Amino acid sequence: MFSTRIAGTGSYLPERILSNFDLEKLVDTNDQWIRERTGIERRHIAAPGEATSDLALKASQRALEAAGLKAADLDMIIFATITGDQLMPATACFLQEKLGCKSIPAFDLAAACSGFIYGLTVADQFIRTGMHKNILVVGAEVLHNFINYKDRETCILFGDASGAFVVSRAEAGDKNVIMSSHLHAEGSLAELLVVNGVGSKKPLSPETFGSEDSYVKMKGREIYKNAVRVMSQCAQQALEHNKVKIDEVSWLVPHQANTRIMEAVANHFNFPQERVINIVSEMGNTSSATVPVAFDTAVRDGRIQRGQIILFTVFGAGLTSGSMLLRY
Ligand code: UT7
């Protein structure tokens, strides 16, 4: 069996910004409430016509450049998203065309905010078995089209972004590799976070179009409690599996949904808050993009260094969850 290393990372945030003050003009909310309850100050919103694959292209090009690879070197594209360009075909195929790497397999993976760790885990399996050498894993979302800007409980949370990792077969003896991943889902909690008006159960119709059913609906308190529970459990599982103590972890990179959720997970382990990568103030919750964007930001600003142990822990609609431990 081979091992998988993170060869390069990239991210992209659209230029347009929606601040808490902008939201004050749309719904009955205020900057102080949003900052205190979520830690979010602004989100980035894709321009009209800017699709998920466009965002993904920019992050992917940056990841390829950081890896010192060309699109032609890629063996596969795994695209984690719940807001693809269109229902069919997979957004991964549009990205493949835009990158110009013809004929390699390309598919979407829908695990909501856990999607990127699901995608990395799938890529890791293909590399471990020797089937592929270089895989592009993307997490990208244009969520704002699915947000009801009349619903103050959801519209304050979400933004658009893309992040990408190029993962590659490690040289024999390389210690900077993915150490483990653990994935879970609890379908019994699926109703807590949904967009239920666009699909086979309720096909798009004049009744559903533009109704509440076309937007994200969420039971916030329930999601909050379950998020703290499952992210702590998944992180614990990663540590126990590898017999690694929490003090050996250099950086915790949790799903960026809400600062209070991240703080609660870190407190569960008595882990110092200053070693949690938290950029939610800058971008809100961008679902599958949060982990790769947070990680890439911290790599580029010099916080995350080669050789350090990194712990990812995530949750999302489904209710999906997962963790990954790696030495970068
Ligand atoms: O990737 C997963 C995506 N989802 C999440 O991560 C969501 C997880 N949940 C959360 O982050 C939090 O539950 C929220 C930020 C959504 C809400 O914070 P909370 O501390 O759980 O507030 P709450 O829902 O208990 O509401 C407290 C009060 C309520 O008013 P009353 O009933 O006490 O009078 C709400 O109506 O705050 C009110 N409220 C707001 N006030 C101002 C709810 N949303 C807002 C708002 N601005 N945007």
Side-chain angles (χ1 to χ4, degrees), residues 27-30 33-34 37-38 113 152-153 156-158 193 218 220-221 223-224 227 255 257-258 260-261 285 287 315-317:
V27 285
D28 180 15
T29 190
N30 60 78
W33 191 96
I34 302 173
R37 300 291 179 121
T38 71
C113 305
R152 67 177 183 174
E153 283 173 31
I156 57 160
L157 297 176
F158 297 99
L193 185 52
M218 178 185 79
R221 285 251 115 215
I223 287 283
Y224 187 103
H255 171 46
N258 179 324
R260 285 159 57 217
I261 295 176
N285 182 346
S287 191
F315 79 97

PDB file of all heavy atoms in Angstrom, residues 27-30 33-34 37-38 113 152-153 156-158 193 218 220-221 223-224 227 255 257-258 260-261 285 287 315-317, ligand 1:
ATOM      1  N   VAL A  27     -32.985  42.140   6.740  1.00  0.00           N
ATOM      2  CA  VAL A  27     -33.795  41.429   7.748  1.00  0.00           C
ATOM      3  C   VAL A  27     -33.614  42.082   9.113  1.00  0.00           C
ATOM      4  O   VAL A  27     -32.707  42.892   9.307  1.00  0.00           O
ATOM      5  CB  VAL A  27     -33.385  39.921   7.864  1.00  0.00           C
ATOM      6  CG1 VAL A  27     -33.902  39.116   6.704  1.00  0.00           C
ATOM      7  CG2 VAL A  27     -31.885  39.757   8.032  1.00  0.00           C
ATOM      8  N   ASP A  28     -34.463  41.665  10.046  1.00  0.00           N
ATOM      9  CA  ASP A  28     -34.414  42.220  11.404  1.00  0.00           C
ATOM     10  C   ASP A  28     -33.266  41.567  12.172  1.00  0.00           C
ATOM     11  O   ASP A  28     -33.446  40.566  12.872  1.00  0.00           O
ATOM     12  CB  ASP A  28     -35.765  41.952  12.099  1.00  0.00           C
ATOM     13  CG  ASP A  28     -35.784  42.498  13.514  1.00  0.00           C
ATOM     14  OD1 ASP A  28     -34.897  43.313  13.843  1.00  0.00           O
ATOM     15  OD2 ASP A  28     -36.668  42.085  14.285  1.00  0.00           O
ATOM     16  N   THR A  29     -32.068  42.094  11.973  1.00  0.00           N
ATOM     17  CA  THR A  29     -30.894  41.568  12.662  1.00  0.00           C
ATOM     18  C   THR A  29     -29.928  42.722  12.889  1.00  0.00           C
ATOM     19  O   THR A  29     -30.205  43.858  12.488  1.00  0.00           O
ATOM     20  CB  THR A  29     -30.232  40.445  11.836  1.00  0.00           C
ATOM     21  OG1 THR A  29     -29.232  39.811  12.638  1.00  0.00           O
ATOM     22  CG2 THR A  29     -29.569  40.966  10.552  1.00  0.00           C
ATOM     23  N   ASN A  30     -28.814  42.449  13.538  1.00  0.00           N
ATOM     24  CA  ASN A  30     -27.811  43.501  13.688  1.00  0.00           C
ATOM     25  C   ASN A  30     -26.420  42.885  13.816  1.00  0.00           C
ATOM     26  O   ASN A  30     -26.264  41.724  14.181  1.00  0.00           O
ATOM     27  CB  ASN A  30     -28.135  44.413  14.882  1.00  0.00           C
ATOM     28  CG  ASN A  30     -28.172  43.631  16.178  1.00  0.00           C
ATOM     29  OD1 ASN A  30     -27.129  43.303  16.729  1.00  0.00           O
ATOM     30  ND2 ASN A  30     -29.375  43.294  16.643  1.00  0.00           N
ATOM     31  N   TRP A  33     -25.406  41.141  17.140  1.00  0.00           N
ATOM     32  CA  TRP A  33     -26.024  39.823  17.350  1.00  0.00           C
ATOM     33  C   TRP A  33     -25.290  38.772  16.503  1.00  0.00           C
ATOM     34  O   TRP A  33     -24.930  37.710  16.993  1.00  0.00           O
ATOM     35  CB  TRP A  33     -27.515  39.844  16.977  1.00  0.00           C
ATOM     36  CG  TRP A  33     -28.249  38.590  17.425  1.00  0.00           C
ATOM     37  CD1 TRP A  33     -28.974  38.439  18.567  1.00  0.00           C
ATOM     38  CD2 TRP A  33     -28.306  37.322  16.754  1.00  0.00           C
ATOM     39  NE1 TRP A  33     -29.492  37.166  18.656  1.00  0.00           N
ATOM     40  CE2 TRP A  33     -29.090  36.458  17.556  1.00  0.00           C
ATOM     41  CE3 TRP A  33     -27.769  36.820  15.576  1.00  0.00           C
ATOM     42  CZ2 TRP A  33     -29.351  35.129  17.211  1.00  0.00           C
ATOM     43  CZ3 TRP A  33     -28.024  35.499  15.232  1.00  0.00           C
ATOM     44  CH2 TRP A  33     -28.812  34.672  16.043  1.00  0.00           C
ATOM     45  N   ILE A  34     -25.052  39.099  15.250  1.00  0.00           N
ATOM     46  CA  ILE A  34     -24.426  38.111  14.352  1.00  0.00           C
ATOM     47  C   ILE A  34     -23.011  37.780  14.835  1.00  0.00           C
ATOM     48  O   ILE A  34     -22.619  36.617  14.897  1.00  0.00           O
ATOM     49  CB  ILE A  34     -24.405  38.611  12.887  1.00  0.00           C
ATOM     50  CG1 ILE A  34     -25.822  38.912  12.395  1.00  0.00           C
ATOM     51  CG2 ILE A  34     -23.756  37.562  11.980  1.00  0.00           C
ATOM     52  CD1 ILE A  34     -25.878  39.571  11.015  1.00  0.00           C
ATOM     53  N   ARG A  37     -23.201  35.718  18.208  1.00  0.00           N
ATOM     54  CA  ARG A  37     -23.763  34.362  18.118  1.00  0.00           C
ATOM     55  C   ARG A  37     -23.032  33.461  17.133  1.00  0.00           C
ATOM     56  O   ARG A  37     -23.166  32.243  17.197  1.00  0.00           O
ATOM     57  CB  ARG A  37     -25.237  34.409  17.694  1.00  0.00           C
ATOM     58  CG  ARG A  37     -26.149  35.166  18.616  1.00  0.00           C
ATOM     59  CD  ARG A  37     -26.319  34.438  19.930  1.00  0.00           C
ATOM     60  NE  ARG A  37     -27.187  35.204  20.814  1.00  0.00           N
ATOM     61  CZ  ARG A  37     -28.319  34.754  21.311  1.00  0.00           C
ATOM     62  NH1 ARG A  37     -28.724  33.532  21.065  1.00  0.00           N
ATOM     63  NH2 ARG A  37     -29.041  35.517  22.102  1.00  0.00           N
ATOM     64  N   THR A  38     -22.301  34.088  16.168  1.00  0.00           N
ATOM     65  CA  THR A  38     -21.689  33.252  15.116  1.00  0.00           C
ATOM     66  C   THR A  38     -20.216  33.553  14.863  1.00  0.00           C
ATOM     67  O   THR A  38     -19.508  32.726  14.306  1.00  0.00           O
ATOM     68  CB  THR A  38     -22.414  33.448  13.755  1.00  0.00           C
ATOM     69  OG1 THR A  38     -22.098  34.744  13.238  1.00  0.00           O
ATOM     70  CG2 THR A  38     -23.920  33.314  13.890  1.00  0.00           C
ATOM     71  N   CYS A 113     -21.528  19.857   4.121  1.00  0.00           N
ATOM     72  CA  CYS A 113     -20.329  20.511   4.677  1.00  0.00           C
ATOM     73  C   CYS A 113     -19.212  19.514   4.988  1.00  0.00           C
ATOM     74  O   CYS A 113     -18.064  19.917   5.159  1.00  0.00           O
ATOM     75  CB  CYS A 113     -20.684  21.296   5.931  1.00  0.00           C
ATOM     76  SG  CYS A 113     -21.999  22.482   5.665  1.00  0.00           S
ATOM     77  N   ARG A 152     -33.922  35.382   8.689  1.00  0.00           N
ATOM     78  CA  ARG A 152     -32.745  35.886   9.403  1.00  0.00           C
ATOM     79  C   ARG A 152     -31.943  34.768  10.064  1.00  0.00           C
ATOM     80  O   ARG A 152     -30.788  34.952  10.416  1.00  0.00           O
ATOM     81  CB  ARG A 152     -33.158  36.932  10.443  1.00  0.00           C
ATOM     82  CG  ARG A 152     -33.978  36.400  11.598  1.00  0.00           C
ATOM     83  CD  ARG A 152     -34.255  37.497  12.599  1.00  0.00           C
ATOM     84  NE  ARG A 152     -34.985  36.997  13.758  1.00  0.00           N
ATOM     85  CZ  ARG A 152     -35.258  37.712  14.825  1.00  0.00           C
ATOM     86  NH1 ARG A 152     -34.878  38.971  14.877  1.00  0.00           N
ATOM     87  NH2 ARG A 152     -35.914  37.193  15.835  1.00  0.00           N
ATOM     88  N   GLU A 153     -32.584  33.598  10.270  1.00  0.00           N
ATOM     89  CA  GLU A 153     -31.839  32.526  10.938  1.00  0.00           C
ATOM     90  C   GLU A 153     -30.842  31.837  10.009  1.00  0.00           C
ATOM     91  O   GLU A 153     -29.877  31.232  10.468  1.00  0.00           O
ATOM     92  CB  GLU A 153     -32.810  31.504  11.535  1.00  0.00           C
ATOM     93  CG  GLU A 153     -33.411  32.063  12.816  1.00  0.00           C
ATOM     94  CD  GLU A 153     -34.509  31.214  13.400  1.00  0.00           C
ATOM     95  OE1 GLU A 153     -34.457  29.985  13.224  1.00  0.00           O
ATOM     96  OE2 GLU A 153     -35.423  31.795  14.009  1.00  0.00           O
ATOM     97  N   ILE A 156     -27.861  34.940   7.516  1.00  0.00           N
ATOM     98  CA  ILE A 156     -26.659  35.531   8.126  1.00  0.00           C
ATOM     99  C   ILE A 156     -25.462  34.575   8.073  1.00  0.00           C
ATOM    100  O   ILE A 156     -24.329  34.989   8.279  1.00  0.00           O
ATOM    101  CB  ILE A 156     -26.923  35.894   9.597  1.00  0.00           C
ATOM    102  CG1 ILE A 156     -27.377  34.641  10.359  1.00  0.00           C
ATOM    103  CG2 ILE A 156     -27.968  37.000   9.702  1.00  0.00           C
ATOM    104  CD1 ILE A 156     -27.207  34.737  11.847  1.00  0.00           C
ATOM    105  N   LEU A 157     -25.734  33.295   7.802  1.00  0.00           N
ATOM    106  CA  LEU A 157     -24.684  32.288   7.995  1.00  0.00           C
ATOM    107  C   LEU A 157     -23.824  32.015   6.768  1.00  0.00           C
ATOM    108  O   LEU A 157     -22.626  31.783   6.891  1.00  0.00           O
ATOM    109  CB  LEU A 157     -25.307  30.957   8.441  1.00  0.00           C
ATOM    110  CG  LEU A 157     -26.042  30.955   9.787  1.00  0.00           C
ATOM    111  CD1 LEU A 157     -26.688  29.600  10.025  1.00  0.00           C
ATOM    112  CD2 LEU A 157     -25.074  31.282  10.922  1.00  0.00           C
ATOM    113  N   PHE A 158     -24.448  31.994   5.571  1.00  0.00           N
ATOM    114  CA  PHE A 158     -23.792  31.320   4.447  1.00  0.00           C
ATOM    115  C   PHE A 158     -23.147  32.266   3.438  1.00  0.00           C
ATOM    116  O   PHE A 158     -23.612  33.387   3.219  1.00  0.00           O
ATOM    117  CB  PHE A 158     -24.805  30.418   3.736  1.00  0.00           C
ATOM    118  CG  PHE A 158     -25.327  29.315   4.619  1.00  0.00           C
ATOM    119  CD1 PHE A 158     -26.557  29.430   5.252  1.00  0.00           C
ATOM    120  CD2 PHE A 158     -24.573  28.172   4.836  1.00  0.00           C
ATOM    121  CE1 PHE A 158     -27.039  28.420   6.079  1.00  0.00           C
ATOM    122  CE2 PHE A 158     -25.045  27.156   5.657  1.00  0.00           C
ATOM    123  CZ  PHE A 158     -26.281  27.278   6.282  1.00  0.00           C
ATOM    124  N   LEU A 193     -31.589  19.963   8.388  1.00  0.00           N
ATOM    125  CA  LEU A 193     -30.977  20.938   7.479  1.00  0.00           C
ATOM    126  C   LEU A 193     -31.245  20.484   6.046  1.00  0.00           C
ATOM    127  O   LEU A 193     -30.683  19.473   5.616  1.00  0.00           O
ATOM    128  CB  LEU A 193     -29.464  21.004   7.777  1.00  0.00           C
ATOM    129  CG  LEU A 193     -28.612  22.021   7.050  1.00  0.00           C
ATOM    130  CD1 LEU A 193     -29.169  23.420   7.161  1.00  0.00           C
ATOM    131  CD2 LEU A 193     -27.187  22.005   7.615  1.00  0.00           C
ATOM    132  N   MET A 218     -33.449  25.243   8.231  1.00  0.00           N
ATOM    133  CA  MET A 218     -32.562  24.690   9.248  1.00  0.00           C
ATOM    134  C   MET A 218     -33.166  24.803  10.638  1.00  0.00           C
ATOM    135  O   MET A 218     -33.806  25.800  10.949  1.00  0.00           O
ATOM    136  CB  MET A 218     -31.268  25.520   9.178  1.00  0.00           C
ATOM    137  CG  MET A 218     -30.221  25.166  10.153  1.00  0.00           C
ATOM    138  SD  MET A 218     -28.858  26.338  10.006  1.00  0.00           S
ATOM    139  CE  MET A 218     -29.516  27.725  10.913  1.00  0.00           C
ATOM    140  N   GLY A 220     -31.695  25.464  13.721  1.00  0.00           N
ATOM    141  CA  GLY A 220     -30.378  25.940  14.144  1.00  0.00           C
ATOM    142  C   GLY A 220     -29.867  25.383  15.457  1.00  0.00           C
ATOM    143  O   GLY A 220     -28.738  24.907  15.549  1.00  0.00           O
ATOM    144  N   ARG A 221     -30.737  25.436  16.486  1.00  0.00           N
ATOM    145  CA  ARG A 221     -30.297  24.969  17.820  1.00  0.00           C
ATOM    146  C   ARG A 221     -29.909  23.487  17.788  1.00  0.00           C
ATOM    147  O   ARG A 221     -28.926  23.079  18.381  1.00  0.00           O
ATOM    148  CB  ARG A 221     -31.424  25.153  18.843  1.00  0.00           C
ATOM    149  CG  ARG A 221     -31.643  26.565  19.283  1.00  0.00           C
ATOM    150  CD  ARG A 221     -31.196  26.781  20.723  1.00  0.00           C
ATOM    151  NE  ARG A 221     -30.085  27.710  20.738  1.00  0.00           N
ATOM    152  CZ  ARG A 221     -29.072  27.659  21.582  1.00  0.00           C
ATOM    153  NH1 ARG A 221     -28.982  26.718  22.467  1.00  0.00           N
ATOM    154  NH2 ARG A 221     -28.110  28.538  21.546  1.00  0.00           N
ATOM    155  N   ILE A 223     -29.041  21.685  15.161  1.00  0.00           N
ATOM    156  CA  ILE A 223     -27.810  21.498  14.376  1.00  0.00           C
ATOM    157  C   ILE A 223     -26.603  21.841  15.253  1.00  0.00           C
ATOM    158  O   ILE A 223     -25.598  21.133  15.268  1.00  0.00           O
ATOM    159  CB  ILE A 223     -27.826  22.411  13.116  1.00  0.00           C
ATOM    160  CG1 ILE A 223     -28.815  21.868  12.099  1.00  0.00           C
ATOM    161  CG2 ILE A 223     -26.451  22.561  12.512  1.00  0.00           C
ATOM    162  CD1 ILE A 223     -28.324  20.674  11.314  1.00  0.00           C
ATOM    163  N   TYR A 224     -26.733  22.921  15.981  1.00  0.00           N
ATOM    164  CA  TYR A 224     -25.642  23.390  16.840  1.00  0.00           C
ATOM    165  C   TYR A 224     -25.202  22.294  17.829  1.00  0.00           C
ATOM    166  O   TYR A 224     -24.031  21.948  17.928  1.00  0.00           O
ATOM    167  CB  TYR A 224     -26.130  24.633  17.588  1.00  0.00           C
ATOM    168  CG  TYR A 224     -25.092  25.341  18.398  1.00  0.00           C
ATOM    169  CD1 TYR A 224     -24.516  26.514  17.936  1.00  0.00           C
ATOM    170  CD2 TYR A 224     -24.686  24.855  19.636  1.00  0.00           C
ATOM    171  CE1 TYR A 224     -23.560  27.179  18.680  1.00  0.00           C
ATOM    172  CE2 TYR A 224     -23.731  25.512  20.390  1.00  0.00           C
ATOM    173  CZ  TYR A 224     -23.176  26.672  19.909  1.00  0.00           C
ATOM    174  OH  TYR A 224     -22.230  27.325  20.641  1.00  0.00           O
ATOM    175  N   ALA A 227     -23.706  19.341  16.089  1.00  0.00           N
ATOM    176  CA  ALA A 227     -22.400  19.678  15.505  1.00  0.00           C
ATOM    177  C   ALA A 227     -21.293  19.530  16.548  1.00  0.00           C
ATOM    178  O   ALA A 227     -20.253  18.914  16.281  1.00  0.00           O
ATOM    179  CB  ALA A 227     -22.428  21.103  14.968  1.00  0.00           C
ATOM    180  N   HIS A 255     -14.749  22.375  10.604  1.00  0.00           N
ATOM    181  CA  HIS A 255     -15.713  23.004   9.689  1.00  0.00           C
ATOM    182  C   HIS A 255     -16.057  24.383  10.243  1.00  0.00           C
ATOM    183  O   HIS A 255     -16.351  24.533  11.434  1.00  0.00           O
ATOM    184  CB  HIS A 255     -16.966  22.135   9.572  1.00  0.00           C
ATOM    185  CG  HIS A 255     -18.088  22.796   8.840  1.00  0.00           C
ATOM    186  ND1 HIS A 255     -17.902  23.467   7.649  1.00  0.00           N
ATOM    187  CD2 HIS A 255     -19.407  22.919   9.139  1.00  0.00           C
ATOM    188  CE1 HIS A 255     -19.051  23.961   7.245  1.00  0.00           C
ATOM    189  NE2 HIS A 255     -19.984  23.652   8.127  1.00  0.00           N
ATOM    190  N   ALA A 257     -18.462  26.786  10.686  1.00  0.00           N
ATOM    191  CA  ALA A 257     -19.890  27.106  10.647  1.00  0.00           C
ATOM    192  C   ALA A 257     -20.198  28.265  11.573  1.00  0.00           C
ATOM    193  O   ALA A 257     -21.008  29.134  11.248  1.00  0.00           O
ATOM    194  CB  ALA A 257     -20.718  25.896  11.038  1.00  0.00           C
ATOM    195  N   ASN A 258     -19.539  28.277  12.721  1.00  0.00           N
ATOM    196  CA  ASN A 258     -19.884  29.210  13.782  1.00  0.00           C
ATOM    197  C   ASN A 258     -18.737  29.171  14.788  1.00  0.00           C
ATOM    198  O   ASN A 258     -18.313  28.082  15.209  1.00  0.00           O
ATOM    199  CB  ASN A 258     -21.207  28.730  14.409  1.00  0.00           C
ATOM    200  CG  ASN A 258     -21.680  29.584  15.555  1.00  0.00           C
ATOM    201  OD1 ASN A 258     -20.874  30.093  16.336  1.00  0.00           O
ATOM    202  ND2 ASN A 258     -22.981  29.724  15.679  1.00  0.00           N
ATOM    203  N   ARG A 260     -18.672  29.765  17.883  1.00  0.00           N
ATOM    204  CA  ARG A 260     -19.011  29.129  19.162  1.00  0.00           C
ATOM    205  C   ARG A 260     -18.934  27.611  19.055  1.00  0.00           C
ATOM    206  O   ARG A 260     -18.560  26.936  20.016  1.00  0.00           O
ATOM    207  CB  ARG A 260     -20.401  29.570  19.617  1.00  0.00           C
ATOM    208  CG  ARG A 260     -20.396  31.018  20.155  1.00  0.00           C
ATOM    209  CD  ARG A 260     -21.789  31.628  20.117  1.00  0.00           C
ATOM    210  NE  ARG A 260     -22.755  30.861  20.859  1.00  0.00           N
ATOM    211  CZ  ARG A 260     -24.044  30.676  20.490  1.00  0.00           C
ATOM    212  NH1 ARG A 260     -24.494  31.216  19.374  1.00  0.00           N
ATOM    213  NH2 ARG A 260     -24.850  29.975  21.221  1.00  0.00           N
ATOM    214  N   ILE A 261     -19.295  27.068  17.899  1.00  0.00           N
ATOM    215  CA  ILE A 261     -19.196  25.611  17.713  1.00  0.00           C
ATOM    216  C   ILE A 261     -17.718  25.197  17.742  1.00  0.00           C
ATOM    217  O   ILE A 261     -17.336  24.237  18.415  1.00  0.00           O
ATOM    218  CB  ILE A 261     -19.856  25.169  16.378  1.00  0.00           C
ATOM    219  CG1 ILE A 261     -21.362  25.441  16.411  1.00  0.00           C
ATOM    220  CG2 ILE A 261     -19.577  23.690  16.093  1.00  0.00           C
ATOM    221  CD1 ILE A 261     -22.107  25.136  15.110  1.00  0.00           C
ATOM    222  N   ASN A 285     -20.238  30.525   6.597  1.00  0.00           N
ATOM    223  CA  ASN A 285     -20.233  29.083   6.349  1.00  0.00           C
ATOM    224  C   ASN A 285     -20.318  28.845   4.838  1.00  0.00           C
ATOM    225  O   ASN A 285     -21.317  29.196   4.215  1.00  0.00           O
ATOM    226  CB  ASN A 285     -21.427  28.468   7.077  1.00  0.00           C
ATOM    227  CG  ASN A 285     -21.500  26.956   6.935  1.00  0.00           C
ATOM    228  OD1 ASN A 285     -20.817  26.361   6.098  1.00  0.00           O
ATOM    229  ND2 ASN A 285     -22.333  26.342   7.743  1.00  0.00           N
ATOM    230  N   SER A 287     -19.928  25.761   3.460  1.00  0.00           N
ATOM    231  CA  SER A 287     -20.170  24.324   3.310  1.00  0.00           C
ATOM    232  C   SER A 287     -18.893  23.560   2.947  1.00  0.00           C
ATOM    233  O   SER A 287     -17.911  23.659   3.672  1.00  0.00           O
ATOM    234  CB  SER A 287     -21.300  24.095   2.297  1.00  0.00           C
ATOM    235  OG  SER A 287     -21.715  22.757   2.338  1.00  0.00           O
ATOM    236  N   PHE A 315     -18.792  18.461  10.134  1.00  0.00           N
ATOM    237  CA  PHE A 315     -20.163  17.944  10.147  1.00  0.00           C
ATOM    238  C   PHE A 315     -20.940  18.678   9.073  1.00  0.00           C
ATOM    239  O   PHE A 315     -20.526  19.749   8.618  1.00  0.00           O
ATOM    240  CB  PHE A 315     -20.825  18.183  11.514  1.00  0.00           C
ATOM    241  CG  PHE A 315     -21.312  19.588  11.674  1.00  0.00           C
ATOM    242  CD1 PHE A 315     -22.641  19.923  11.438  1.00  0.00           C
ATOM    243  CD2 PHE A 315     -20.431  20.608  12.001  1.00  0.00           C
ATOM    244  CE1 PHE A 315     -23.081  21.240  11.534  1.00  0.00           C
ATOM    245  CE2 PHE A 315     -20.864  21.920  12.098  1.00  0.00           C
ATOM    246  CZ  PHE A 315     -22.187  22.239  11.875  1.00  0.00           C
ATOM    247  N   GLY A 316     -22.061  18.105   8.678  1.00  0.00           N
ATOM    248  CA  GLY A 316     -22.882  18.792   7.684  1.00  0.00           C
ATOM    249  C   GLY A 316     -24.257  18.163   7.573  1.00  0.00           C
ATOM    250  O   GLY A 316     -24.567  17.179   8.262  1.00  0.00           O
ATOM    251  N   ALA A 317     -25.072  18.720   6.686  1.00  0.00           N
ATOM    252  CA  ALA A 317     -26.417  18.194   6.475  1.00  0.00           C
ATOM    253  C   ALA A 317     -26.313  16.716   6.162  1.00  0.00           C
ATOM    254  O   ALA A 317     -25.377  16.260   5.513  1.00  0.00           O
ATOM    255  CB  ALA A 317     -27.083  18.941   5.320  1.00  0.00           C
TER     256      ALA A 317
HETATM  257  O1  UT7 B   1     -23.081  23.649   8.269  1.00  0.00           O
HETATM  258  C1  UT7 B   1     -24.134  23.622   9.171  1.00  0.00           C
HETATM  259  C2  UT7 B   1     -24.974  24.844   9.043  1.00  0.00           C
HETATM  260  N1  UT7 B   1     -25.698  25.278  10.174  1.00  0.00           N
HETATM  261  C3  UT7 B   1     -25.164  25.690  11.341  1.00  0.00           C
HETATM  262  O2  UT7 B   1     -24.010  25.588  11.603  1.00  0.00           O
HETATM  263  C4  UT7 B   1     -26.111  26.315  12.314  1.00  0.00           C
HETATM  264  C5  UT7 B   1     -25.829  25.955  13.728  1.00  0.00           C
HETATM  265  N2  UT7 B   1     -26.592  26.802  14.619  1.00  0.00           N
HETATM  266  C6  UT7 B   1     -26.180  28.048  14.932  1.00  0.00           C
HETATM  267  O3  UT7 B   1     -25.122  28.482  14.513  1.00  0.00           O
HETATM  268  C7  UT7 B   1     -27.043  28.849  15.876  1.00  0.00           C
HETATM  269  O4  UT7 B   1     -28.086  28.025  16.378  1.00  0.00           O
HETATM  270  C8  UT7 B   1     -27.653  30.118  15.224  1.00  0.00           C
HETATM  271  C9  UT7 B   1     -26.552  31.132  14.940  1.00  0.00           C
HETATM  272  C10 UT7 B   1     -28.377  29.761  13.930  1.00  0.00           C
HETATM  273  C11 UT7 B   1     -28.635  30.778  16.167  1.00  0.00           C
HETATM  274  O5  UT7 B   1     -28.010  31.100  17.394  1.00  0.00           O
HETATM  275  P1  UT7 B   1     -28.669  30.665  18.768  1.00  0.00           P
HETATM  276  O6  UT7 B   1     -27.801  31.171  19.835  1.00  0.00           O
HETATM  277  O7  UT7 B   1     -28.882  29.176  18.689  1.00  0.00           O
HETATM  278  O8  UT7 B   1     -30.021  31.470  18.773  1.00  0.00           O
HETATM  279  P2  UT7 B   1     -31.526  30.922  18.861  1.00  0.00           P
HETATM  280  O9  UT7 B   1     -31.907  30.215  17.608  1.00  0.00           O
HETATM  281  O10 UT7 B   1     -31.698  30.206  20.173  1.00  0.00           O
HETATM  282  O11 UT7 B   1     -32.306  32.278  18.925  1.00  0.00           O
HETATM  283  C12 UT7 B   1     -32.171  33.202  19.996  1.00  0.00           C
HETATM  284  C13 UT7 B   1     -32.985  34.449  19.691  1.00  0.00           C
HETATM  285  C14 UT7 B   1     -34.396  34.140  19.199  1.00  0.00           C
HETATM  286  O12 UT7 B   1     -35.246  35.130  19.698  1.00  0.00           O
HETATM  287  P3  UT7 B   1     -36.154  34.849  21.005  1.00  0.00           P
HETATM  288  O13 UT7 B   1     -37.029  33.685  20.646  1.00  0.00           O
HETATM  289  O14 UT7 B   1     -35.187  34.528  22.113  1.00  0.00           O
HETATM  290  O15 UT7 B   1     -36.882  36.145  21.184  1.00  0.00           O
HETATM  291  C15 UT7 B   1     -34.293  34.272  17.700  1.00  0.00           C
HETATM  292  O16 UT7 B   1     -35.521  34.616  17.106  1.00  0.00           O
HETATM  293  O17 UT7 B   1     -32.349  35.174  18.617  1.00  0.00           O
HETATM  294  C16 UT7 B   1     -33.305  35.409  17.569  1.00  0.00           C
HETATM  295  N3  UT7 B   1     -32.598  35.428  16.301  1.00  0.00           N
HETATM  296  C17 UT7 B   1     -32.009  36.533  15.792  1.00  0.00           C
HETATM  297  N4  UT7 B   1     -31.892  37.782  16.272  1.00  0.00           N
HETATM  298  C18 UT7 B   1     -31.213  38.676  15.524  1.00  0.00           C
HETATM  299  C19 UT7 B   1     -32.402  34.410  15.427  1.00  0.00           C
HETATM  300  N5  UT7 B   1     -31.706  34.818  14.379  1.00  0.00           N
HETATM  301  C20 UT7 B   1     -31.449  36.141  14.583  1.00  0.00           C
HETATM  302  C21 UT7 B   1     -30.760  37.124  13.841  1.00  0.00           C
HETATM  303  N6  UT7 B   1     -30.646  38.362  14.350  1.00  0.00           N
HETATM  304  N7  UT7 B   1     -30.160  36.848  12.649  1.00  0.00           N
END
